[in-house]
Amino acid sequence: MATPAIREAIALERGTADDLDSVMIVMEQAFGSHFGEAWTRSQCAGILPMTGVLLRLARTRDSGLAVGFSLSRSIVDDAELLLIAVAPAQQRRGVGRLLLEDFIEQARTSGISTAHLEVRDGNGAMSMYRDAGFAPVGRRRKYYHAPDGSAFDALTFMRKI
Ligand SMILES: CC(C)(COP(=O)(O)OP(=O)(O)OC[C@H]1O[C@@H](n2cnc3c(N)ncnc32)[C@H](O)[C@@H]1OP(=O)(O)O)[C@@H](O)C(=O)NCCC(=O)NCCS
């Protein structure tokens, strides 16, 4: 569970296309280009107007700086966490857990019954997902493609809401 201290320090809010600069700064810092997991600005801009897509931003309450975000999409009963990222300088403080719990809460209030996500095999986020009740349900071979030509499997995770 996210701690009271991190809830006190970080505010979550709905993001819009106006927040894309902040999203891309966190994206580039958090993912880098090594594993081919990051989305481009145009991929983000393209999905934002779609029905069921939700961008959530984590901002520090003192300065308003965006330190993390999640991007998800809901279709009928299912919600998929497409991206979650926290700026490296702010990692391991509980912001990722806060954003993940928020994704689940937003899905619950929208009447969603199942949450899905996928993650590169070996990504440290896997333990965060397991702790939040997600269980691995499948593997997509060579799903992520790095600029140097290497490919990495994705694991798919699921949990009931
Ligand atoms: C994954 C990510 C969002 C986690 O954000 P965070 O703010 O550091 O997460 P938290 O501090 O809430 O950590 C929650 C738990 O997740 C696990 N965890 C998070 N990052 C981890 C890492 N790099 N290695 C191992 N475990 C990790 C730990 O169990 C951690 O709890 P602990 O610190 O009490 O041990 C962040 O590391 C990130 O932006 N990574 C790059 C982008 C990415 O890979 N996103 C996921 C795929 S879309």
Side-chain angles (χ1 to χ4, degrees), residues 139-145 151-154:
R139 174 181 292 272
R140 293 178 175 161
R141 298 211 175 271
K142 301 192 173 179
Y143 184 81
Y144 296 103
H145 294 268
F152 304 92
D153 290 358

Short mmCIF file of all heavy atoms in Angstrom, two decimals, residues 139-145 151-154:
data_model
loop_
_atom_site.label_atom_id
_atom_site.label_comp_id
_atom_site.label_asym_id
_atom_site.label_seq_id
_atom_site.Cartn_x
_atom_site.Cartn_y
_atom_site.Cartn_z
N ARG A 139 3.28 -15.12 -22.09
CA ARG A 139 4.56 -14.58 -22.54
C ARG A 139 4.44 -14.25 -24.03
O ARG A 139 3.93 -15.06 -24.81
CB ARG A 139 5.66 -15.62 -22.31
CG ARG A 139 7.04 -15.22 -22.87
CD ARG A 139 8.06 -16.33 -22.61
NE ARG A 139 8.35 -16.48 -21.19
CZ ARG A 139 9.30 -15.80 -20.54
NH1 ARG A 139 10.06 -14.94 -21.18
NH2 ARG A 139 9.50 -16.00 -19.26
N ARG A 140 4.90 -13.07 -24.42
CA ARG A 140 4.95 -12.71 -25.84
C ARG A 140 6.42 -12.65 -26.24
O ARG A 140 7.14 -11.78 -25.77
CB ARG A 140 4.27 -11.35 -26.08
CG ARG A 140 2.80 -11.43 -25.81
CD ARG A 140 2.09 -10.12 -25.99
NE ARG A 140 0.67 -10.32 -25.83
CZ ARG A 140 -0.20 -9.36 -25.58
NH1 ARG A 140 0.21 -8.11 -25.46
NH2 ARG A 140 -1.49 -9.63 -25.45
N ARG A 141 6.81 -13.61 -27.05
CA ARG A 141 8.23 -13.73 -27.39
C ARG A 141 8.68 -12.58 -28.27
O ARG A 141 8.00 -12.19 -29.19
CB ARG A 141 8.49 -15.07 -28.07
CG ARG A 141 8.17 -16.24 -27.17
CD ARG A 141 9.04 -17.47 -27.41
NE ARG A 141 8.71 -18.48 -26.41
CZ ARG A 141 9.29 -18.58 -25.21
NH1 ARG A 141 10.27 -17.76 -24.89
NH2 ARG A 141 8.91 -19.50 -24.34
N LYS A 142 9.87 -12.06 -27.93
CA LYS A 142 10.52 -11.01 -28.73
C LYS A 142 9.58 -9.85 -29.03
O LYS A 142 9.48 -9.37 -30.15
CB LYS A 142 11.09 -11.61 -30.01
CG LYS A 142 12.08 -12.71 -29.70
CD LYS A 142 12.87 -13.15 -30.89
CE LYS A 142 13.95 -14.12 -30.41
NZ LYS A 142 14.78 -14.66 -31.43
N TYR A 143 8.90 -9.40 -28.01
CA TYR A 143 7.87 -8.37 -28.17
C TYR A 143 8.48 -6.97 -28.25
O TYR A 143 8.03 -6.13 -29.00
CB TYR A 143 6.91 -8.46 -26.97
CG TYR A 143 5.75 -7.52 -27.04
CD1 TYR A 143 4.62 -7.84 -27.81
CD2 TYR A 143 5.76 -6.32 -26.34
CE1 TYR A 143 3.55 -6.97 -27.87
CE2 TYR A 143 4.69 -5.45 -26.41
CZ TYR A 143 3.59 -5.79 -27.17
OH TYR A 143 2.54 -4.92 -27.23
N TYR A 144 9.50 -6.72 -27.43
CA TYR A 144 10.15 -5.39 -27.43
C TYR A 144 11.39 -5.44 -28.31
O TYR A 144 12.20 -6.37 -28.22
CB TYR A 144 10.56 -5.00 -26.00
CG TYR A 144 9.40 -4.83 -25.06
CD1 TYR A 144 9.08 -5.81 -24.12
CD2 TYR A 144 8.61 -3.69 -25.11
CE1 TYR A 144 8.01 -5.66 -23.26
CE2 TYR A 144 7.54 -3.53 -24.25
CZ TYR A 144 7.25 -4.51 -23.33
OH TYR A 144 6.19 -4.37 -22.47
N HIS A 145 11.54 -4.41 -29.12
CA HIS A 145 12.67 -4.36 -30.05
C HIS A 145 13.54 -3.15 -29.74
O HIS A 145 13.08 -2.01 -29.81
CB HIS A 145 12.17 -4.31 -31.50
CG HIS A 145 11.46 -5.57 -31.88
ND1 HIS A 145 12.10 -6.64 -32.46
CD2 HIS A 145 10.17 -5.96 -31.70
CE1 HIS A 145 11.24 -7.63 -32.63
NE2 HIS A 145 10.05 -7.24 -32.18
N ALA A 151 15.98 -8.22 -29.13
CA ALA A 151 14.55 -8.31 -28.82
C ALA A 151 14.38 -8.95 -27.44
O ALA A 151 15.19 -9.76 -27.01
CB ALA A 151 13.84 -9.13 -29.87
N PHE A 152 13.31 -8.57 -26.76
CA PHE A 152 13.06 -9.02 -25.38
C PHE A 152 11.61 -9.50 -25.26
O PHE A 152 10.70 -8.87 -25.81
CB PHE A 152 13.30 -7.87 -24.40
CG PHE A 152 14.67 -7.27 -24.53
CD1 PHE A 152 14.88 -6.19 -25.36
CD2 PHE A 152 15.76 -7.80 -23.85
CE1 PHE A 152 16.15 -5.63 -25.51
CE2 PHE A 152 17.03 -7.26 -23.99
CZ PHE A 152 17.22 -6.18 -24.82
N ASP A 153 11.44 -10.59 -24.52
CA ASP A 153 10.08 -11.11 -24.29
C ASP A 153 9.29 -10.17 -23.39
O ASP A 153 9.85 -9.51 -22.51
CB ASP A 153 10.14 -12.46 -23.59
CG ASP A 153 10.69 -13.57 -24.48
OD1 ASP A 153 10.99 -13.30 -25.67
OD2 ASP A 153 10.81 -14.70 -23.97
N ALA A 154 7.98 -10.16 -23.60
CA ALA A 154 7.06 -9.49 -22.68
C ALA A 154 6.30 -10.56 -21.89
O ALA A 154 5.96 -11.61 -22.44
CB ALA A 154 6.07 -8.63 -23.45
#
